[in-house]
Amino acid sequence: MTNTVHPLSPSQLAPQFEQALISQALTNTQSTAGFIGQERAKTALSFAIGMDMPGYNLYVMGEPALGRFTLVDDSLKQAAAKKPTPDEWCYLNNFEDERVPNILRMPPGEGKKLVKKLETLIDDLLGTFPAAFDNPGFQRKKKAIARDFDQKYDKAIALVEKEALTKQVLLIEDNGAVGFSPIIDGKPVNDQESANLSEQQRQHFYDMVTELETILHEQLLELPKWKRELSEQQRELRKETIEQAIKPMLKQLEHDYATQLGVQRYIREMRSHLIKAVLEFLPDESDGDKQEESDNREFFIEEFVPNVLVHYEQMSGAPIIFEPNPSYGNLFGRVEYSSAGNSLYTNSRMIRPGALHRANGGYLILDADRLLTQPAVWDALKQALKSGELLIDTLSDQAVTNSTIITPKAIPLNVKVVLLGSRDLYYLIQDVDEEFNELFRVLADFEYYLPFTEQTVSNMTLQIKQQMEQLQITELSRCGLTQLLNFSFRQAEHQHKLSARFADVLELVREACFYANQQQHKTLTAEHVHQALQGKQYRTGRISESFLEDIQEGQILIDTSGVAVGKVNGLTVLEIGDTAFGTPARISATVFAGSSGVVDIEREVELGKAIHSKGVLLLTGYLGAKYARNFALTLSANIAMEQSYGHIDGDSAALAEICVLLSAITDIPLKQSLAVTGSINQHGQVQAIGGVNEKIEGYFRLCQTRGLTGEQGVIIPASNHINLVLNEDVINAVQQQQFHIYVVQTVDEALALLTGLDVGVANKRGVYPKRSVNGKVLARLEQIAEIVNGSLDD
């Protein structure tokens, strides 16, 4: 038999490493573990952090659980500790236009101090007024103003009263109302007595009263002016009193902030409005209503106290903010509203900061996938980064009837944004957004693998121990660490590389510690790790067990013994949710005289996707190049994956399909005890496929359930040898020669294993031995071509 292929030995089915490496990692006395691997990403992070220029924001590319956030957070913490704490930004009431609140920049920690001082000022004002109006000096001046008014009034009334007496009429004042009454016999006449007077007397007195009222009106013509002057003088007196009381308070405040021009400007603008507010809201006399005093305090605070967006008094270095839900409000801030009656109102004190406000002067970490699902947020973020200004857009969100809309002034923005996203999303954004590369110039690309080195194993062991200490497990055994490393190799599907998804290893450690704690063990062993793996397999294995039961019950036709023509067992991987498992699938082929070529039934019914269809189309190229050099390749063949009712993709069935096709052409039976996986090219070379471990173990479970015969096994590409990290059950079966794993490089090697016959090698003239498999294929194809072409000639 040509191209003899021997099965792999047990030592070739899993990673092999020296136990000295394990011992050294377990005895490492290093106190803290460094971040594991990802040197390329570390270099990119260092470069992006060091480039303190616009546009050098960072996109961290990689899948979840690769440690992206941990590395970014650690790197930013080191850089942030060396940067100065950023200034604080406050929003102030704009006394000229309350719809456009002003901004104020304050040194770190000073914003809150300014708020406290202004609140103290307001409390002092409320304590001073209206008590200050009870001052004897104020009351004396107030009475003097009132006395001047009374003198003018009394003088006018005295003139009218004198004139009335000359006309025998008495002037009467009652509660500010002035009236007249006739005098008869030296006595005033009331209304009842007036009715007893003669008509002539009554008319005489009516004329006198009318004349006197005209005189009274002339004398009191300037009474409104006197009252207005009285009110103005009293208001001016109150204003002067307020100014005198406020002056020392504001002077102390100005002295405290003599070097801060922004605060000085605000105090000057606030002075006149503060005096006006005291005039309007605080009466001359104290009011005992406590609720009203509370309302007054709230009004003064909302009107005059700044709104400090972010406090930094207890922070050292620049801020690092991670926003898990980057909606517009969470990112750019928002303006809150309160209701009063049927209207909404707001002010500068109701502006709430967003993640960009909190990260201003530092670093902002965002999840790119979540960011791009938020409408309009991506464009707004780009605009903010390009302009260097942070603006809260309230017009589009809060433009409702019966509401006060404010537009806060923009705040200067200086932030470095770090996007965490997938590889596909990165290339998609590059394609659809021309501005992306201008704003995110640095890419940190996270690898899927970690190098299997002494340093890597040491750091992994330290982090595993730290996780165990949190779960009250004190020791890690040699076998336990070996089992965890094997799990990482399995995740990476490589015998010389560890998986960069170290979070999966820590998850397994936590689950293994659960079993160790249940058994009251303080040492984590391979048995606990094995229990954790079995536990997860049991929890998520219902569907895989259902497939196995269907095969056992004969509902899915799979043979694991004997031989058959035009049938072979292929290997597939099913991914459902977060689980993946291998299962065999029968592939069949039929060949007959005709000229329709190789028909992929899956493709014809639109169940086969592009890559699978490509693999089938390559079969025609292989057949023509190898066998039909001297005649037209003419045949009709159908290939199908039996009892498959879902979509199929991938070209890993190509090797099985060419083998079953050649079996159908030659009527040579294939061993049903062997399952096949691998893709091929047009020259018959077998190429690597994915999921090789799951595929082997899936077929092994079926054979184990039916009973291992020593004839069963799998055929895989030779290039997949390095990807083998099989479980102990498979390795033990191989060691006992109950199961076999073959690696092949060509289609001929796979045919030799499946048929047990001499495949045949072409001589210099391209002729194969007649009794070989290839010789029979060539003869049968020539026969079909003659039949088809002969029938066409007829």
Side-chain angles (χ1 to χ4, degrees):
M1 184 176 70
T2 60
N3 303 322
T4 303
V5 177
H6 298 285
L8 296 178
S9 65
S11 63
Q12 295 175 295
L13 304 182
Q16 302 296 317
F17 47 88
E18 297 180 0
Q19 289 299 312
L21 183 64
I22 302 296
S23 300
Q24 185 174 357
L26 289 172
T27 56
N28 186 8
T29 58
Q30 186 177 345
S31 58
T32 58
F35 190 85
I36 304 172
Q38 305 295 354
E39 296 303 323
R40 188 191 309 273
K42 291 178 183 177
T43 302
L45 273 168
S46 177
F47 175 76
I49 293 171
M51 288 295 291
D52 194 12
M53 297 177 65
Y56 283 88
N57 298 295
L58 179 67
Y59 187 98
V60 179
M61 183 168 71
E63 302 307 317
L66 294 179
R68 297 176 305 171
F69 184 84
T70 301
L71 179 57
V72 168
D73 190 50
D74 291 344
S75 301
L76 293 183
K77 284 179 179 177
Q78 294 178 13
K82 301 175 183 177
K83 293 188 67 174
T85 303
D87 291 336
E88 298 176 346
W89 288 97
C90 313
Y91 273 112
L92 309 169
N93 186 8
N94 187 344
F95 299 108
E96 295 182 359
D97 186 358
E98 293 187 352
R99 295 177 181 269
V100 187
N102 285 322
I103 57 175
L104 175 64
R105 187 172 195 157
M106 296 290 292
E110 292 298 320
K112 199 169 186 178
K113 293 180 181 178
L114 176 61
V115 168
K116 289 183 178 180
K117 289 185 178 182
L118 287 174
E119 289 178 347
T120 300
L121 172 66
I122 290 171
D123 291 336
D124 291 343
L125 279 177
L126 295 175
T128 302
F129 298 97
F133 298 130
D134 293 333
N135 183 279
F138 173 82
Q139 292 296 331
R140 185 171 58 253
K141 292 178 181 179
K142 182 179 179 182
K143 290 179 180 178
I145 294 171
R147 187 165 54 249
D148 183 60
F149 171 81
D150 292 341
Q151 287 176 352
K152 292 180 180 179
Y153 180 80
D154 291 343
K155 182 178 180 181
I157 293 297
L159 289 174
V160 176
E161 185 178 19
K162 182 177 180 182
E163 183 65 26
L165 290 175
T166 61
K167 299 180 180 299
Q168 295 299 305
V169 176
L170 180 65
L171 183 144
I172 301 173
E173 279 189 274
D174 186 15
N175 294 327
V178 178
F180 296 95
S181 177
I183 299 176
I184 298 177
D185 298 331
K187 295 180 180 179
V189 178
N190 56 30
D191 292 340
Q192 184 177 1
E193 293 173 341
S194 177
N196 297 326
L197 297 176
S198 64
E199 184 65 26
Q200 182 178 1
Q201 287 178 316
R202 285 199 301 272
Q203 185 61 44
H204 173 71
F205 283 116
Y206 287 155
D207 293 340
M208 291 297 102
V209 169
T210 301
E211 182 180 351
L212 289 172
E213 286 179 346
T214 301
I215 296 172
L216 176 65
H217 177 72
E218 291 175 352
Q219 291 297 321
L220 298 181
L221 186 63
E222 294 187 353
L223 181 62
K225 177 183 176 182
W226 298 341
K227 288 185 176 181
R228 186 168 60 253
E229 290 176 348
L230 171 65
S231 177
E232 290 177 354
Q233 289 176 358
Q234 289 181 340
R235 183 180 179 84
E236 189 65 27
L237 175 61
R238 293 178 69 241
K239 183 178 179 181
E240 290 177 359
T241 304
I242 295 170
E243 286 180 343
Q244 292 298 322
I246 289 178
K247 186 176 181 179
M249 302 179 189
L250 294 181
K251 188 173 182 180
Q252 179 61 43
L253 199 61
E254 289 175 342
H255 179 269
D256 293 340
Y257 293 95
T259 60
Q260 298 186 30
L261 298 180
V263 180
Q264 290 279 348
R265 187 184 307 111
Y266 178 63
I267 294 173
R268 288 196 300 269
E269 294 173 354
M270 179 181 68
R271 183 189 304 272
S272 60
H273 294 275
L274 186 61
I275 294 171
K276 181 180 178 181
V278 174
L279 276 172
E280 293 179 356
F281 288 91
L282 300 181
D284 285 1
E285 290 81 21
S286 298
D287 192 338
D289 190 350
K290 293 184 179 180
Q291 181 62 39
E292 183 178 343
E293 291 179 3
S294 175
D295 292 343
N296 287 338
R297 186 178 190 278
E298 185 65 27
F299 165 78
F300 277 92
I301 287 177
E302 290 187 358
E303 192 76 8
F304 300 104
V305 176
N307 176 14
V308 184
L309 295 180
V310 184
H311 299 286
Y312 292 119
E313 59 181 356
Q314 297 180 348
M315 178 176 289
S316 175
I320 302 171
I321 303 298
F322 171 64
E323 177 50 61
N325 180 27
S327 63
Y328 188 93
N330 289 345
L331 203 57
F332 291 89
R334 60 187 179 274
V335 177
E336 295 181 348
Y337 283 74
S338 294
S339 60
N342 295 325
S343 299
L344 299 175
Y345 75 93
T346 188
N347 54 42
S348 61
R349 296 271 302 175
M350 301 176 74
I351 300 172
R352 298 294 176 256
L356 281 168
H357 294 96
R358 298 192 298 273
N360 199 3
Y363 306 94
L364 175 63
I365 306 173
L366 300 172
D367 186 300
D369 294 270
R370 292 180 179 272
L371 175 67
L372 294 176
T373 60
Q374 300 289 342
V377 174
W378 173 245
D379 288 335
L381 177 61
K382 290 192 300 180
Q383 180 61 34
L385 294 176
K386 286 190 296 184
S387 65
E389 290 185 339
L390 178 52
L391 179 65
I392 302 177
D393 181 11
T394 58
L395 296 179
S396 58
D397 296 335
Q398 305 290 348
V400 294
T401 58
N402 297 330
S403 66
T404 301
I405 299 175
I406 63 174
T407 307
K409 289 186 177 180
I411 292 175
L413 179 65
N414 177 25
V415 66
K416 191 172 290 292
V417 179
V418 179
L419 291 183
L420 306 179
S422 64
R423 192 175 305 275
D424 293 339
L425 182 60
Y426 175 77
Y427 295 121
L428 175 62
I429 301 175
Q430 278 192 325
D431 288 340
V432 301
D433 194 333
E434 296 178 353
E435 297 176 322
F436 177 71
N437 286 334
E438 297 179 6
L439 296 173
F440 291 85
R441 299 178 185 271
V442 185
L443 170 67
D445 191 355
F446 273 63
E447 302 283 353
Y448 291 107
Y449 307 107
L450 298 175
F452 182 56
T453 63
E454 178 182 329
Q455 185 62 42
T456 301
V457 176
S458 177
N459 286 333
M460 287 182 65
T461 305
L462 285 173
Q463 293 198 26
I464 289 171
K465 288 182 175 179
Q466 290 173 3
Q467 183 70 67
M468 291 168 50
E469 289 175 1
Q470 297 177 11
L471 300 169
Q472 288 78 48
I473 303 297
T474 57
E475 294 186 20
L476 175 62
S477 69
R478 183 193 303 269
C479 62
L481 178 57
T482 302
Q483 191 74 16
L484 290 171
L485 289 176
N486 277 329
F487 173 78
S488 185
F489 282 119
R490 175 63 177 258
Q491 292 292 92
E493 291 191 353
H494 203 286
Q495 292 186 356
H496 306 306
K497 296 179 181 178
L498 296 166
S499 172
R501 293 175 59 92
F502 187 63
D504 293 342
V505 177
L506 294 180
E507 179 184 348
L508 179 60
V509 170
R510 289 191 290 270
E511 295 177 7
C513 288
F514 168 80
Y515 291 100
N517 282 321
Q518 275 195 331
Q519 299 165 20
Q520 297 182 349
H521 292 170
K522 292 302 180 181
T523 301
L524 190 69
T525 66
E527 179 61 26
H528 300 134
V529 177
H530 186 63
Q531 287 178 333
L533 290 172
Q534 283 187 324
K536 187 168 186 178
Q537 174 63 33
Y538 179 75
R539 295 192 300 271
T540 62
R542 185 187 64 81
I543 297 178
S544 62
E545 290 180 4
S546 297
F547 271 88
L548 187 60
E549 290 175 1
D550 290 343
I551 295 174
Q552 287 292 88
E553 294 171 358
Q555 298 182 32
I556 298 177
L557 301 179
I558 299 290
D559 293 330
T560 56
S561 62
V563 294
V565 175
K567 297 177 183 177
V568 74
N569 293 327
L571 296 176
T572 63
V573 172
L574 297 180
E575 295 184 6
I576 302 175
D578 61 345
T579 63
F581 58 91
T583 182
R586 173 177 287 179
I587 300 172
S588 64
T590 57
V591 176
F592 49 91
S595 58
S596 58
V598 179
V599 177
D600 176 15
I601 292 178
E602 309 298 331
R603 179 185 180 187
E604 294 298 316
V605 298
E606 298 183 352
L607 287 179
K609 294 188 177 181
I611 298 178
H612 178 264
S613 299
K614 175 186 176 183
V616 176
L617 292 174
L618 287 173
L619 304 185
T620 303
Y622 173 72
L623 289 175
K626 185 162 186 174
Y627 301 108
R629 291 180 179 271
N630 300 318
F631 60 91
L633 179 63
T634 308
L635 82 162
S636 291
N638 291 333
I639 296 178
M641 188 169 290
E642 296 183 359
Q643 292 182 281
S644 173
Y645 309 106
H647 291 286
I648 299 173
D649 201 9
D651 59 354
S652 64
L655 177 59
E657 289 168 341
I658 188 62
C659 291
V660 77
L661 179 61
L662 295 177
S663 171
I665 290 173
T666 60
D667 288 332
I668 296 175
L670 303 178
K671 295 179 181 179
Q672 301 301 295
S673 57
L674 297 177
V676 185
T677 184
S679 68
I680 66 169
N681 59 24
Q682 295 185 88
H683 301 287
Q685 295 173 311
V686 180
Q687 302 169 143
I689 46 83
V692 64
N693 295 296
E694 288 80 4
K695 291 177 178 179
I696 294 173
E697 291 170 359
Y699 186 65
F700 172 78
R701 283 197 299 271
L702 173 61
C703 296
Q704 188 181 43
T705 303
R706 288 182 171 180
L708 296 174
T709 64
E711 299 294 328
Q712 296 137 336
V714 295
I715 300 172
I716 65 172
S719 51
N720 278 123
H721 173 210
I722 201 171
N723 304 119
L724 294 178
V725 188
L726 296 169
N727 61 36
E728 293 181 359
D729 291 341
V730 177
I731 296 175
N732 291 335
V734 170
Q735 190 170 12
Q736 298 169 12
Q737 297 186 355
Q738 294 295 305
F739 194 77
H740 309 284
I741 298 173
Y742 302 93
V743 294
V744 297
Q745 296 181 344
T746 64
V747 173
D748 284 351
E749 291 178 351
L751 277 174
L753 289 168
L754 288 168
T755 62
L757 302 176
D758 181 10
V759 177
V761 178
N763 58 23
K764 294 181 179 180
R765 293 177 299 170
V767 179
Y768 294 97
K770 290 185 178 180
R771 294 184 177 275
S772 67
V773 175
N774 285 331
K776 293 180 180 181
V777 173
L778 180 59
R780 178 57 177 159
L781 289 176
E782 286 180 339
Q783 182 184 8
I784 294 174
E786 289 177 1
I787 293 173
V788 175
N789 293 334
S791 64
L792 292 175
D793 292 339
D794 294 340

